Amino acid sequence: MANSRSVVLAALFANGAIAVLKFIGFLLTQSPAMLSETYHSISDTGNQVFLLVGIRYGKKSASRAHPFGYGKAQFFYSFLVSVLLFGIAGWESAKHGFNAILHHEAAALSGTVTQFGMTVPAIWVNYIVLVGGILFEGWAFSKAYAGMQSDIDEYGWSGFLEAFRKTSNVTTLTAFTEDTIALIGLVLALGGVFLTDFTGNPLFDATAALLIGLMLMGFAIALAWENKRLLLGESLPQAEEQRLRKIIREWDGVAEIVDFRTVYFGPENVVVSSDVAFDAGLDTSEIDTHITDMENAIIDAYPDIQKVYVEPETKAVADD
């Protein structure tokens, strides 16, 4: 959890600094791509605040009203981030880029800018801002990348695609996704500004703004879909469940597994519930000992499991 917090703080600092730089660049040059990137960074900065709120709220201790804790708060705030990423950054960026294409809006890239007694070509402003943004965002991306790689190594996933589909650490996932598309957006904006400067055609700058918006909306939808599965109460992956079932099934004195369920109640917080039929010859004390040992073995087998409930069944039904 501390790792997730450091990733988000890095992204918050980087995005806040970049948002200021981009807005200054837009004010001086009126570049559509720069305005799209300003929307992007402002949205990202606000999103990091939501993620930090989710981390803090998720640390609250379990209560009578929430007996399994508040870990799902992180799923909610991460989902909210994806909605804001779509609604503010994506939609506004795409709309501005589309209008710039439709009305042939031209950025002031060919003139000069005078500030603090200095006169420089306007295009330099955008180049400095975008290159500076790439440096800031690259630093934040390296922190998020390390966080995702740590999870991949811990769980033995094949790579980032599998991690995207299976991770419950949505805070690090969201920060990593934001930083990735932020870097891509900066490169698109830099390319659009350069091509407009090189050719004199404002279409490239406006098109970059539109592409940035469409990219943001696409990633936002994917991120919202991944958060939905955890908000609705997703179980462990089937392979992991089968491994845990095997521990119970092969335990001495177990006749069969009557029921077996797992569910995420927060990042790195899985609850396991199982109804087990024991051999008829076991007395109550022996069953209690088996249950205690079984629960400890299951917790030891999977690092995210926080609670295990094994209940003895007197009437067995078919194992599902």
Side-chain angles (χ1 to χ4, degrees), residues 33-317:
M34 290 300 295
L35 182 58
S36 287
E37 278 297 295
T38 301
Y39 284 134
H40 183 177
S41 291
I42 290 174
S43 175
D44 282 353
T45 303
N47 292 344
Q48 309 313 321
V49 175
F50 278 115
L51 292 179
L52 288 173
V53 170
I55 291 175
R56 184 174 180 83
Y57 195 76
K59 287 181 178 179
K60 290 181 65 176
S61 301
S63 64
R64 186 199 61 78
H66 296 85
F68 292 103
Y70 292 79
K72 281 195 174 185
Q74 291 192 54
F75 301 157
F76 168 74
Y77 282 103
S78 184
F79 181 83
L80 188 60
V81 163
S82 66
V83 173
L84 294 175
L85 190 66
F86 176 89
I88 296 177
W91 174 253
E92 289 299 325
S93 297
K95 183 176 69 174
H96 185 74
F98 178 77
N99 288 333
I101 294 173
L102 192 64
H103 301 295
H104 306 288
E105 295 178 7
L109 302 180
S110 58
T112 60
V113 173
T114 301
Q115 289 290 320
F116 308 111
M118 298 174 55
T119 300
V120 297
I123 191 66
W124 287 16
V125 175
N126 283 341
Y127 286 154
I128 292 171
V129 169
L130 291 172
V131 171
I134 290 173
L135 293 176
F136 273 112
E137 203 61 65
W139 171 72
F141 174 81
S142 68
K143 298 281 287 184
Y145 182 93
M148 287 294 292
Q149 190 62 57
S150 175
D151 287 348
I152 290 171
D153 294 340
E154 180 179 354
Y155 297 105
W157 292 326
S158 60
F160 287 94
L161 183 60
E162 185 177 4
F164 193 86
R165 290 186 290 105
K166 292 183 177 180
T167 185
S168 66
N169 189 358
V170 293
T171 301
T172 298
L173 173 66
T174 302
F176 175 77
T177 302
E178 284 188 354
D179 292 338
T180 300
I181 61 178
L183 275 176
I184 296 172
L186 284 163
V187 172
L188 282 174
L190 184 61
V193 169
F194 171 77
L195 289 174
T196 290
D197 178 46
F198 184 75
T199 65
N201 187 347
L203 181 64
F204 292 106
D205 192 12
T207 301
L210 176 61
L211 291 176
I212 290 168
L214 294 176
M215 176 189 66
L216 287 171
M217 288 191 286
F219 272 94
I221 292 171
L223 192 60
W225 186 263
E226 289 305 308
N227 279 282
K228 184 206 72 170
R229 63 182 173 85
L230 293 164
L231 278 171
L232 295 179
E234 186 179 56
S235 65
L236 283 172
Q238 185 176 10
E240 301 297 340
E241 279 202 352
Q242 291 300 325
R243 185 160 65 95
L244 297 177
R245 280 173 172 267
K246 185 179 180 182
I247 293 175
I248 298 176
R249 187 179 294 111
E250 296 180 352
W251 204 270
D252 184 41
V254 171
E256 67 172 313
I257 299 174
V258 177
D259 188 30
F260 186 89
R261 299 180 184 182
T262 63
V263 64
Y264 277 101
F265 275 91
E268 303 177 355
N269 185 357
V270 178
V271 174
V272 177
S273 173
S274 183
D275 295 335
V276 178
F278 290 90
D279 293 338
L282 295 176
D283 59 32
T284 302
S285 62
E286 289 175 314
I287 291 176
D288 287 343
T289 300
H290 282 313
I291 288 175
T292 300
D293 294 341
M294 206 181 304
E295 290 175 343
N296 291 333
I298 291 172
I299 291 175
D300 291 340
Y302 199 86
D304 284 357
I305 294 176
Q306 301 296 317
K307 294 286 185 180
V308 180
Y309 300 98
V310 175
E311 295 292 333
E313 279 287 328
T314 56
K315 183 179 180 181
V317 298

Side-chain angles (χ1 to χ4, degrees), residues 10-33:
L12 175 64
F13 173 77
N15 287 317
I18 294 169
V20 173
L21 292 176
K22 288 175 181 176
F23 187 61
I24 293 172
F26 166 71
L27 290 177
L28 295 176
T29 65
Q30 298 299 301
S31 164

